[in-house]
Amino acid sequence: QSEGGKQRTDALTFESFCRWHYNTNDPEHSLPVHQQRLGPYLLELRLVFSVLFGIPPSRATTEKMILEELQRRHKYRYPQTEVSRRGPRGTIWFIIDNRWYTSWQSFVSRHHEPADDAVDGRATMGPGSPRGLGKINNAGLLSDGGSLALRPSIRWRHDYDIISPTAWSALQGWYDGGPPIHRSVVRYVPSESAKNPHSKSNLRIRTEHEIELYPFFVTVFLCDAASRGEARPFQQAVPVSRVSPVRIVVLEMCKGLDLDPKYARLWVMGSNPNDPASVADTSSGGNGKGDWLLNLDVNIVDQQNRMGEKPAKSNSLTLLLEIKDEETGKWPRGYDGKHWVFKDTDPNKSVRNDALVGDGIVGLYNMGNTCYLNSSVQCLSHTPIFRDYFTSKAYMNDINTTNPLGYEGRLAQVSAVLINSLWKRFAQSFSHPSKRVTVPGSYAPVNAPALTPKTFKEAMGKFNDHFAGNEQHDAQELLAFLLGGLSEDLNRIVDKPYIEAPDSDGRPDRELADIWWSNHLKREMSIIVALFTGQYKSLLTCRSCKYESARFEPFSFLQLPLPEDDHIPVSLILYPREDGADTMKYSVRVPHNGRLLDVLMALAKVRLLDDPAEYIHDDADAVATATKTKEDPEEEDERRAKLEKVHDTMAQNMAVVDMRDGYIFKIAPNSWALPDLQNKDTGELPLLHVYELEPLPEVDHKTEDSETVDDVQPENEATPDVSGDGDKDDEDDEDDSDNDTDGDDDSDEDTDDGNPPKPTSKIGGSIGGSKQHPKKEPLKPKAAGVKYSFLAIAQRKPEILSPHQLHPFAQRIVGTPLLLRVVDLEGYSGKDLYDLIAKRVRNLVPKSAWRFLDPANAYAGSDDSDDSSLTDSEPSARERKHRLGSRQRRRRTNGDMEIVAAGPVPRYGFRIRITSRDGRRCALCPWYDSCIGCLVPDDDYPTIAMCGDSLAIDWHFAVDIATFGFGMRNQTEGTAITPALRAKTTGVPVKNHISCAEGANKNGMASAITLEDCLDSFAKEEKIPEAYCSMCKDFRVQTKRMSLW
């Protein structure tokens, strides 16, 4: 309150924030950006988004401000002087088309009013023409030839302009286009008639540094010990300064190769290294004509003048980067380039030795994206008979130059040259390391020579335009063309006869296949047919007359379809019912649009295959049926019916739950569709948790008043699904007695009419949904029908609160929850329920807690029952009736009571309480009672637990100490304990079923598609709507089946 008594607010308004940000009380008076409180920070964010991410600003004036700031920072980093108006040497500038740049400047300067400035125009003009300016187009500045060389006589601010690299990145990110053209500032060397290219007047201005617009664009080759000094392509259109030292180029190339510059030197090559004349000239061990070594500290032009050579044109210069061998310390081309170290110079060496076949360990260099070609050639080169056919010159006897379908033998010639080059014995012996085992994903480097298949690549491009250029292609397409062309070039059949395809006419398959193969050899006979051709059988069956027509077609490539898989893998954890059984993780395959019932059925099939006798006890024939792999057609229907019955029974005895941090949130209905459970972003299914339930007893249909099998249902006659909120207390305990506040008064006094009080509490959001009040009679199961109840049971243990709050201890969820399906819960006493839970929870607790759960070692003393339960005599019928209404007059438990987790050790080391679904509080009492759960007494009276209740097992301190805090003290020391970590640390160990292993298929989780799966899909029968039948002499519906012969 202010002095005048008026309300004063301290909330930050937008107006007050603007005043603080602009550092002034006058919002209309805007300070410069650098004087605003958040101005520099916001400016840095804008620059990062614009330059690194290319995010366009929403206003044109913001673009102008960002470009001006980027230009200012570039000039600040590279200061400009009167003699260095573009910054010091090495400063990078980008060239941009002046027409486009002027249009952009005019646009951002024109839109300065807020109404105009907010109109971006990108959405209306389309992505190809943002704001109507179009993409940046620098193509008009380039000369012909394919490099980034500028066309001559272009003028500054008439044809082009210059901007900083960061400014170019921003503009290109906003508007797209290009290509990017950058130039460096070098030492300015004016000619007699030249003037400063960036001067506005014709006056000569003294300057020391200027942008070099016309550097050399050279082709660089590479040679090293692996190539034995021979040049191989390395880089094209590399800009090299005319005035800067050559060392700058060497440093840049060595940086890309991750190489120490002292191991590299540069040559000027007087001829193309791929030219045949050049190769012949260097075969004696010396460099080609005109090759000379560059001095790295002098520019190329000065060295050309010293050598008496004419200055090279922009794109006609060829350089060679030579790399010294680190092992021998020698240059591949010798110290002076005249005596190559790795060349055989022995004149007495026999020519015959050169023709000897080597080991074939020779690499192939990529020429752009030609890996598809190199891999295919290597596969063919290492096919033994195919290789020997070419290395032995046997192919020369089969070259067919007159085949109109071939290439006059030229394809066979270039292939033979390449294969012989790969298998020739090199003079320099390369030591190959012995074969050793390497881990998956790694490789052992091999010191081997390598070749560049340039001639072969160019020939392939001439024969087929599809393979011209250096783009990526499919290896199968290349192999199909190469093997087909080689087969025609090497075809021994000169004149191909016309042969009509024979029909089956009832002949045996073997005889008909031989006829087809003989006819094929009469038209095509070559090494390719012998090595790479097979036969497949195509069988047509007429639906009308059942006539079968077979064809045996030859093939070199088999195109197999990928089988369509409409199933998806589902991972789940099964918590078994059997005592001592392992909790197992499974992976099953179900239809992608299936339901949870399909998951349970698939799990039942996997478990039945593991152990048929475990799930089929009484029917020996059914066991044999489940394990039978081959059956007679007559028994197929009967077998499937028996298995379906077993699978259905097993699926009914399992339930899928939604498990949270140590408690069961809901039981998922079996009708839930799997697509509804998938992650909307990744499409993955969550890990499912499945509980094996108590099997339902069979209904005696002969009993009087008996019902159908549909009578097997929960006691509440509702689907056991949790769909409500477990934390609601809508109508809990509205009729609670005011006298029952201490939690110890559970008197069984009669009401006025002599009948016990009726339970009226309603539990919202329980697992069973809406509830029915338990019937008082009878306590034994009815023979007329089987009724069952679901109980979701979480585990809790005491945990010290630090710092102390209302109580020093709190009950926290630990471990894995338990789901029970109890038949006729109405007939269970408190002791019966404790016995059942103690038996079922053994699989979910550490072994150190088993001694507390052993009935033989059960503790006799317990203080958690009513006073009436302490008597030795059995309760009377009247007491039983009165106890049925005791849920309304229940026994509350507060956190400071001794019976929470202390006092005498209960019979099984735990007490059971009715709690909310997450186990944090009582589900029956209102929140202000601070009840942690009403006690379920361990006595001979009918249990107060009902269908759909969420129960909690509160472990005694003795069990907590014996299990070392259920394993948490050893595993989480020094770690902040969260509910998820608590549930994970104390959870039950899970083993992986074989279905989770890689390679499992069909019955379990599918791995990669196998070749067998593709062949099965290839051989699948398909329907032909209309095909000619030679028997019917008309077009009929037929079926077609393919198979490998």
Side-chain angles (χ1 to χ4, degrees):
Q1 298 286 338
S2 62
E3 296 180 358
K6 295 182 179 181
Q7 184 72 24
R8 185 185 66 185
T9 176
D10 294 331
L12 180 64
T13 63
F14 179 74
E15 182 179 357
S16 60
F17 171 78
C18 291
R19 290 176 179 173
W20 172 84
H21 169 61
Y22 291 116
N23 201 13
T24 178
N25 291 327
D26 185 7
E28 297 181 359
H29 179 66
S30 179
L31 296 176
V33 174
H34 65 277
Q35 296 182 10
Q36 300 170 5
R37 296 183 185 270
L38 295 180
Y41 173 71
L42 295 177
L43 179 60
E44 293 296 332
L45 286 180
R46 286 189 178 124
L47 296 181
V48 170
F49 294 151
S50 300
V51 178
L52 296 183
F53 303 115
I55 300 177
S58 60
R59 297 179 179 271
T61 51
T62 307
E63 287 190 13
K64 180 180 179 182
M65 182 270 294
I66 290 176
L67 259 292
E68 290 176 349
E69 178 65 18
L70 293 175
Q71 295 280 62
R72 184 193 66 81
R73 295 190 179 195
H74 186 73
K75 294 179 180 179
Y76 179 81
R77 183 177 181 182
Y78 303 99
Q80 302 174 6
T81 63
E82 292 183 357
V83 296
S84 299
R85 299 180 181 275
R86 300 303 172 191
R89 279 191 294 181
T91 305
I92 303 297
W93 292 93
F94 271 74
I95 308 296
I96 188 170
D97 184 75
N98 184 71
R99 184 185 308 172
W100 187 94
Y101 190 58
T102 303
S103 300
W104 175 83
Q105 288 179 323
S106 175
F107 175 82
V108 297
S109 300
R110 183 172 65 252
H111 292 78
H112 60 278
E113 295 295 334
D116 297 335
D117 192 22
V119 179
D120 183 272
R122 295 177 187 268
T124 58
M125 301 305 297
S129 180
R131 293 201 178 102
L133 296 178
K135 298 181 180 180
I136 303 173
N137 186 10
N138 289 338
L141 302 176
L142 303 178
S143 62
D144 299 334
S147 66
L148 294 179
L150 298 175
R151 59 183 175 86
S153 303
I154 60 173
R155 291 177 295 171
W156 176 49
R157 290 190 174 175
H158 181 273
D159 300 302
Y160 72 94
D161 210 328
I162 55 175
I163 58 177
S164 65
T166 52
W168 168 261
S169 298
L171 287 176
Q172 190 184 36
W174 299 340
Y175 295 95
D176 201 1
I181 307 172
H182 65 86
R183 294 292 186 264
S184 301
V185 174
V186 298
R187 180 174 56 89
Y188 180 56
V189 182
S191 62
E192 296 181 358
S193 59
K195 65 182 183 67
N196 190 330
H198 297 112
S199 174
K200 296 182 181 180
S201 65
N202 294 328
L203 298 177
R204 296 288 294 272
I205 299 178
R206 179 178 174 269
T207 181
E208 295 180 358
H209 303 102
E210 191 51 75
I211 299 176
E212 185 179 19
L213 295 179
Y214 300 99
F216 288 120
F217 283 89
V218 303
T219 301
V220 182
F221 287 80
L222 179 71
C223 74
D224 52 11
S227 65
R228 305 176 307 283
E230 295 181 358
R232 55 186 173 92
F234 180 49
Q235 293 182 4
Q236 293 181 343
V238 179
V240 178
S241 175
R242 297 174 182 266
V243 297
S244 299
V246 180
R247 187 178 301 276
I248 297 177
V249 183
V250 176
L251 292 176
E252 289 295 329
M253 290 189 289
C254 290
K255 183 179 179 180
L257 293 172
D258 194 17
L259 180 69
D260 191 340
K262 68 179 181 180
Y263 291 104
R265 62 182 182 179
L266 206 59
W267 294 80
V268 173
M269 307 190 71
S271 58
N272 190 335
N274 291 316
D275 185 68
S278 175
V279 176
D281 183 67
T282 59
S283 61
S284 60
N287 283 357
K289 294 182 180 180
D291 295 359
W292 45 279
L293 189 64
L294 283 170
N295 185 350
L296 301 184
D297 297 323
V298 184
N299 62 64
I300 291 182
V301 175
D302 291 346
Q303 297 187 64
Q304 283 181 325
N305 294 334
R306 293 177 186 177
M307 295 293 296
E309 294 188 357
K310 296 181 180 180
K313 296 181 180 180
S314 177
N315 299 326
S316 62
L317 196 61
T318 303
L319 302 181
L320 174 67
L321 181 65
E322 185 181 11
I323 299 176
K324 181 187 289 187
D325 185 20
E326 295 185 13
E327 296 182 0
T328 62
K330 298 180 179 180
W331 295 100
R333 297 201 168 199
Y335 183 78
D336 54 0
K338 296 180 180 180
H339 303 87
W340 289 18
V341 175
F342 301 108
K343 276 288 186 180
D344 183 19
T345 57
D346 186 5
N348 298 323
K349 191 150 185 84
S350 172
V351 178
R352 181 184 176 186
N353 291 336
D354 293 337
L356 294 178
V357 177
D359 54 11
I361 305 179
V362 180
L364 291 174
Y365 289 113
N366 273 349
M367 297 171 290
N369 297 321
T370 59
C371 54
Y372 71 96
L373 183 143
N374 296 348
S375 58
S376 302
V377 169
Q378 291 284 16
C379 290
L380 292 177
S381 173
H382 288 270
T383 303
I385 301 178
F386 184 82
R387 173 203 64 207
D388 297 340
Y389 178 76
F390 283 98
T391 56
S392 64
K393 311 298 182 182
Y395 75 96
M396 300 183 67
N397 299 324
D398 296 333
I399 292 181
N400 189 338
T401 59
T402 61
N403 189 352
L405 300 178
Y407 301 95
E408 300 178 355
R410 291 177 295 171
L411 181 58
Q413 290 284 5
V414 295
S415 302
V417 171
L418 179 58
I419 292 177
N420 280 279
S421 300
L422 293 174
W423 285 92
K424 72 177 181 180
R425 184 183 297 276
F426 294 99
Q428 172 65 23
S429 60
F430 287 86
S431 59
H432 302 313
S434 57
K435 185 180 296 185
R436 61 179 184 271
V437 179
T438 58
V439 297
S442 64
Y443 63 93
V446 178
N447 183 21
L451 303 176
T452 302
K454 186 173 183 296
T455 304
F456 181 79
K457 173 65 177 62
E458 291 177 349
M460 294 291 292
K462 292 179 181 179
F463 299 144
N464 190 337
D465 295 339
H466 183 69
F467 301 107
N470 297 325
E471 292 79 12
Q472 177 71 306
H473 295 287
D474 188 27
Q476 192 271 338
E477 295 177 0
L478 175 78
L479 279 174
F481 169 74
L482 179 59
L483 292 183
L486 287 177
S487 183
E488 297 296 344
D489 271 6
L490 301 172
N491 192 359
R492 297 181 179 182
I493 306 300
V494 178
D495 297 324
K496 296 184 178 182
Y498 171 77
I499 302 176
E500 186 176 354
D503 202 351
S504 55
D505 292 334
R507 285 174 288 196
D509 286 347
R510 183 176 299 277
E511 178 184 347
L512 184 62
D514 290 342
I515 295 176
W516 275 80
W517 184 251
S518 299
N519 293 340
H520 178 65
L521 294 182
K522 293 177 182 179
R523 294 179 52 84
E524 188 172 356
M525 181 183 296
S526 66
I527 185 69
I528 306 300
V529 174
L531 296 180
F532 304 107
T533 305
Q535 273 182 298
Y536 64 80
K537 176 184 177 182
S538 174
L539 182 64
L540 282 176
T541 303
C542 180
R543 287 281 189 89
S544 301
C545 64
K546 306 302 180 183
Y547 176 75
E548 294 183 348
S549 175
R551 298 171 64 90
F552 291 85
E553 300 279 356
F555 70 93
S556 295
F557 293 90
L558 196 61
Q559 296 182 352
L560 301 179
L562 293 178
E564 296 183 1
D565 191 3
D566 59 347
H567 286 60
I568 58 175
V570 179
S571 298
L572 56 91
I573 297 178
L574 176 67
Y575 302 92
R577 180 183 59 86
E578 183 182 356
D579 186 18
D582 295 326
T583 302
M584 196 76 68
K585 181 179 181 181
Y586 291 83
S587 180
V588 297
R589 292 183 58 78
V590 296
H592 69 279
N593 58 348
R595 301 174 298 164
L596 290 181
L597 179 60
D598 299 324
V599 176
L600 297 181
M601 293 290 288
L603 177 60
K605 294 177 183 179
V606 175
R607 300 185 70 195
L608 185 62
L609 289 176
D610 290 343
D611 190 2
E614 177 69 21
Y615 307 101
I616 306 175
H617 303 282
D618 302 328
D619 193 350
D621 294 337
V623 176
T625 300
T627 58
K628 197 171 184 180
T629 57
K630 294 183 179 180
E631 62 284 329
D632 297 332
E634 297 79 6
E635 301 176 357
E636 177 68 17
D637 294 339
E638 182 181 356
R639 169 186 172 276
R640 289 182 178 179
K642 289 183 179 180
L643 287 181
E644 285 294 331
K645 182 179 179 181
V646 175
H647 296 157
D648 184 66
T649 302
M650 295 175 63
Q652 289 181 6
N653 294 332
M654 292 183 288
V656 182
V657 302
D658 181 4
M659 185 184 297
R660 303 293 173 89
D661 296 333
Y663 65 91
I664 295 176
F665 183 72
K666 67 174 69 174
I667 300 178
N670 292 342
S671 59
W672 273 11
L674 295 180
D676 296 336
L677 304 179
Q678 290 178 323
N679 187 294
K680 303 304 180 184
D681 297 328
T682 63
E684 296 180 353
L685 283 171
L687 179 66
L688 302 183
H689 298 269
V690 181
Y691 281 85
E692 186 179 9
L693 305 174
E694 190 77 20
L696 297 175
E698 295 184 2
V699 180
D700 186 5
H701 298 282
K702 299 180 181 180
T703 306
E704 186 178 357
D705 300 331
S706 64
E707 303 175 8
T708 62
V709 182
D710 295 335
D711 291 330
V712 181
Q713 57 185 352
E715 290 181 0
N716 57 5
E717 300 182 9
T719 303
D721 175 30
V722 176
S723 57
D725 184 1
D727 295 331
K728 289 184 180 179
D729 289 296
D730 301 347
E731 305 172 45
D732 287 359
D733 308 288
E734 293 181 359
D735 300 327
D736 282 356
S737 173
D738 296 334
N739 298 328
D740 190 16
T741 57
D742 56 356
D744 297 326
D745 186 7
D746 280 335
S747 61
D748 294 331
E749 296 180 3
D750 294 343
T751 56
D752 294 341
D753 57 358
N755 295 324
K758 298 180 180 180
T760 59
S761 61
K762 179 180 178 182
I763 306 173
S766 61
I767 293 183
S770 60
K771 299 191 179 308
Q772 288 187 349
H773 302 310
K775 300 178 182 179
K776 305 172 188 177
E777 297 292 346
L779 295 179
K780 300 276 182 156
K782 293 174 60 178
V786 178
K787 294 187 177 182
Y788 56 86
S789 305
F790 282 95
L791 297 176
I793 306 171
Q795 302 184 62
R796 301 193 301 187
K797 74 178 215 47
E799 188 173 297
I800 300 177
L801 296 178
S802 180
H804 296 330
Q805 299 178 4
L806 293 177
H807 309 293
F809 295 97
Q811 295 296 102
R812 302 299 189 194
I813 294 288
V814 297
T816 305
L818 174 65
L819 180 67
L820 291 181
R821 182 172 65 183
V822 184
V823 177
D824 190 29
L825 183 60
E826 301 172 0
Y828 270 70
S829 66
K831 286 186 177 180
D832 295 335
L833 184 61
Y834 272 78
D835 293 339
L836 177 62
I837 293 177
K839 180 180 179 181
R840 294 287 179 250
V841 83
R842 283 175 58 90
N843 292 340
L844 306 178
V845 297
K847 292 185 178 181
S848 54
W850 285 8
R851 62 185 181 92
F852 294 92
L853 303 175
D854 190 354
N857 300 330
Y859 290 83
S862 178
D863 67 340
D864 36 319
S865 60
D866 291 337
D867 295 338
S868 60
S869 66
L870 298 177
T871 60
D872 295 335
S873 60
E874 290 290 331
S876 63
R878 178 180 177 83
E879 290 174 335
R880 287 180 180 271
K881 292 181 180 181
H882 289 187
R883 183 58 183 272
L884 289 175
S886 65
R887 179 158 182 163
Q888 185 175 355
R889 305 177 59 83
R890 54 196 171 274
R891 185 177 183 184
R892 301 183 181 88
T893 307
N894 297 106
D896 56 351
M897 291 183 177
E898 183 183 22
I899 61 171
V900 173
V905 180
R907 189 158 60 101
Y908 290 110
F910 62 82
R911 299 180 178 91
I912 301 175
R913 293 184 172 88
I914 302 175
T915 66
S916 60
R917 207 177 313 157
D918 56 5
R920 295 182 178 180
R921 60 176 185 81
C922 180
L924 306 180
C925 301
W927 63 270
Y928 48 79
D929 282 348
S930 300
C931 179
I932 64 172
C934 288
L935 181 68
V936 178
D938 182 8
D939 55 19
D940 293 323
Y941 287 87
T943 180
I944 67 172
M946 295 183 180
C947 175
D949 277 340
S950 293
L951 307 180
I953 298 176
D954 285 336
W955 292 101
H956 194 273
F957 272 120
V959 183
D960 186 27
I961 295 173
T963 59
F964 295 95
F966 288 82
M968 293 182 62
R969 294 175 191 154
N970 297 333
Q971 303 182 38
T972 61
E973 186 174 356
T975 305
I977 301 178
T978 61
L981 178 63
R982 185 184 292 108
K984 180 179 179 181
T985 304
T986 61
V988 61
V990 179
K991 294 184 178 181
N992 284 338
H993 187 260
I994 190 174
S995 60
C996 298
E998 291 190 18
N1001 200 354
K1002 294 183 180 179
N1003 292 328
M1005 180 177 179
S1007 60
I1009 297 176
T1010 64
L1011 179 61
E1012 181 183 1
D1013 297 332
C1014 297
L1015 290 173
D1016 291 342
S1017 182
F1018 170 77
K1020 189 178 298 183
E1021 186 177 85
E1022 59 178 323
K1023 181 180 178 181
I1024 307 297
E1026 192 176 49
Y1028 184 79
C1029 176
S1030 57
M1031 181 65 68
C1032 299
K1033 305 299 182 181
D1034 198 358
F1035 289 92
R1036 302 294 188 194
V1037 177
Q1038 303 193 34
T1039 59
K1040 181 179 180 181
R1041 181 183 293 274
M1042 310 287 290
S1043 60
L1044 294 182
W1045 178 251

